[in-house]
Amino acid sequence: MRRALSLLFIAMLLLPYANVTAKPVLESAVDFIKDSKSISNETKSVSLALMAMVESAGKVEEDLSPYIDEYVDFLLENQNPDDGWGYSPGQSSDVLDTSYAVVALSKAAEHYGYGTSQYTNLRIVADRGAKFIKNAFNGEAWGYTPNTKSEFYPTVIALWALGNRGYSWESSYMLKRGVSFLESIKSYPGFTSTEIEALRLIAYKSIKYTPADIEKRLASLKDSLDKSSLSTKERVLATYTLILYEGVSFDAAKALLTLEDIKKENPTYWENNLPLRDREIVPVSSYATLGFALVAEKLSEREENPFQSSCEELKSKQNEDGGWSYMIVSPSSEKVTYYALKSLKKCYFRDVSIDKGLEWTSARLNTLKEISEKQKELYGPYVYAILTLAEFNMLSDEQKEENIEFIKSLKMEDGKWGSFLGPQPFDTALAIKALLALGLSPEDSDIQKAKKWLLSVSKEGWGIFLRTKYYEYMVTQDVSTTLEVLEALAPISTKEELEPHIEWLLKQRNEDGGWPDIKENTLGGVVIYRGESHMDLTIRVEELLEPLGYNLRDEVFNWIQTHEEENILDSALKTGFLSQIKFVPKVVLYDVIRLIGEENFTLAYAPGRRGTAEVAKEAVDNFFDANITLEEFKGINDGNYIVLTDYNDVNISDYNPDITLKVNDSNIVLNEKTYDKGKIIVLVPGKYEKGVILFVLYPEDMKSAVETFFNSGLIKYLKGKALVIKFEDKNNDGIASLEELSAEVMG
């Protein structure tokens, strides 16, 4: 009776959609999944449906949060006192269902986001479930319940669950034994060899175990997907597994197309022989939905400008008091706040984060001044507070005069500031910076005397300076002090005056292209220390030298791309540096594909290709519910294009700087990789100020392959920087079938 009611519900569920225009497959699949708990409230079904919704969230138009909350609450409410879950509510805990619930709740925790109460709560609950699983380990693997013989199904899902709780194969004896057991399984009642292998690889991915023969195994899965005899359950598991490992490869795209072909109704669901197997409809449909969701993009995702994302990241690191610290948990620092606010000024004309930072700095100024007065020397944080407030014109004329007098009162001698060690280049440089920022004339006697002294005490950089009754000398030379001095002197000196120090600075560069504070220390001619490059110093060197005619911007930009920030000062300087870069928009295939059907497109064809263009237009109109314009290709004028033409009819680099295409008599070289001319179709995305372009480049005798490609619907799943499609005419009939096409995805 229960099964009959389930089928009746499905029939009722489908009725409202009978006359509705077909939705994108993921939208329609989610329409089914979000209500699937009414079909089956079994733990496995609810867990898999929850996973599918979490993966789909933000990738469909509807807000799935209420449904995710509902399914999460269901699992939380039905956790047993022993921390496990049973087959359905009220039943005793078992390893299999507990494992499914742990996977689902782990993924749901990530959906809510780090730091939220839901995240914390779900991690605690999932960890309790993981403890139940670990306690059920029998020394070899897992049975369905604790202390029972090892079985394939509970073991494979247990590994999947523990992997989602952070356990890895490499560091866990328990997981290693579990893998050994799974590898010994050749067959298992109720599961085909394809299902066994797919589930194994899903679990292995979770615990970060990569079999030595992984490529062979994936190839075998691909072969199985070509079989028409494959059941729907086998097909969805194999497709989901392939996407987990390869993303949107050409093979995965073909597998998704097949899933589209075998879907049922709107809302979309999957399962063979529904009247006999309705219990599998939710798990099978969930795996299929997961596959489509994995390849879908977030609706909010657009091309990311590194400068803008850097601005947002820096803004997010502001402390509650309004300042920025070196590290997340440290007290706010005037120096870091100075560089952060300077950078954010380039991000936003005005922003609450800037106002808050200035308020914090203003409130700190008198305290910092008192510290300087008490120490009777120039206090670094005080100087950076002055620099910040002067940068944002936050000081009155009276305040400026007052602070100029105060800074001058701290000098040790005319034009010299220092510490208990005596006059110091670092302190003197800070004084020059502060006095100039406060509006003091560069011709002021103290500034000129400071400049003269700094240039007299060293010819190759600056560091700690010592002066005794009998002699004076530079004890050390380091990049950070030299930068402070050069930054102070640059506005009031000629390039010739600074050149010896600049040459020293350039010599301090490490082989990796960055700057350390101290390049190396030697003892007896032996190097005992080599300094590591620092992002803040490297960026400051570039910004110092750029106005002096040294073009290091591209080199430093490339260096930044391969190095991580060590602290928030790095983040602040990186943001400011990126503001100088004119970013050439990068474009990938998805950037073009996602706009077809949303915006107007022209399908332009080279002479002699109208027939192929008509086939392509019909396919694109059909798959994207579009109505694109067809015309002969006479150049890129205005708007979005799909262009069918030969390899060398356009200069691809004008529209996509990431792609180089060279054509000679027998070969095509695409980003340094060589292909036989005349045997491939090249799909390259492009972008210009008035739209996007999809270039479809091929010789005329490949028109059959082009038409097959468009008719297949594969265009819907294109990703990567570019795509190379190969046609192998296996039956020598000159007509391309989908099985005769293969492809390489770039990037």
Side-chain angles (χ1 to χ4, degrees), residues 647 660-682 722-726 742-747:
Y647 304 126
T660 58
L661 182 73
K662 300 174 185 176
V663 184
N664 54 40
D665 291 339
S666 58
N667 297 320
I668 290 176
V669 182
L670 188 67
N671 280 21
E672 308 305 320
K673 186 165 183 179
T674 303
Y675 300 90
D676 289 340
K677 185 178 179 181
K679 296 184 178 180
I680 61 171
I681 305 164
V682 182
L723 184 72
V724 177
I725 300 174
K726 301 175 184 177
S742 61
E744 290 180 26
V745 179
M746 292 180 56

Side-chain angles (χ1 to χ4, degrees), residues 431-450:
I432 293 174
K433 283 185 172 183
L435 291 171
L436 290 174
L438 290 166
L440 191 64
S441 169
E443 302 305 318
D444 178 83
S445 61
D446 275 315
I447 289 180
Q448 286 300 313
K449 287 174 182 177

Side-chain angles (χ1 to χ4, degrees), residues 231-252:
S231 72
T232 305
K233 183 180 179 183
E234 290 173 300
R235 189 169 294 283
V236 296
L237 279 170
T239 300
Y240 174 61
T241 305
L242 187 58
I243 294 169
L244 272 182
Y245 279 85
E246 294 190 352
V248 191
S249 65
F250 197 68
D251 294 299

Side-chain angles (χ1 to χ4, degrees), residues 425-426 429 462-464 477-486 517:
F426 186 87
W462 293 269
I464 296 175
Q477 293 154 303
D478 58 76
V479 170
S480 56
T481 302
T482 300
L483 270 172
E484 288 288 354
V485 176
L486 286 174
D517 194 22

Side-chain angles (χ1 to χ4, degrees), residues 26-27 55-61 293-299:
L26 180 59
E27 296 269 0
E55 190 63 50
S56 302
K59 300 174 181 179
V60 294
E61 293 290 344
L294 279 177
V295 305
E297 299 284 343
K298 292 273 188 184
L299 295 177

Side-chain angles (χ1 to χ4, degrees), residues 12 28 95 118 169 222 367 438 450 570 600 657:
M12 294 174 65
S28 188
V95 172
Q118 297 100 320
W169 169 82
K222 293 174 189 178
T367 300
L438 290 166
D570 286 351
N600 294 326

Side-chain angles (χ1 to χ4, degrees), residues 345 388-397 400:
K345 185 180 179 182
T388 299
L389 297 174
E391 175 80 23
F392 287 86
N393 198 25
M394 296 285 290
L395 297 170
S396 67
D397 290 341
K400 290 178 182 177

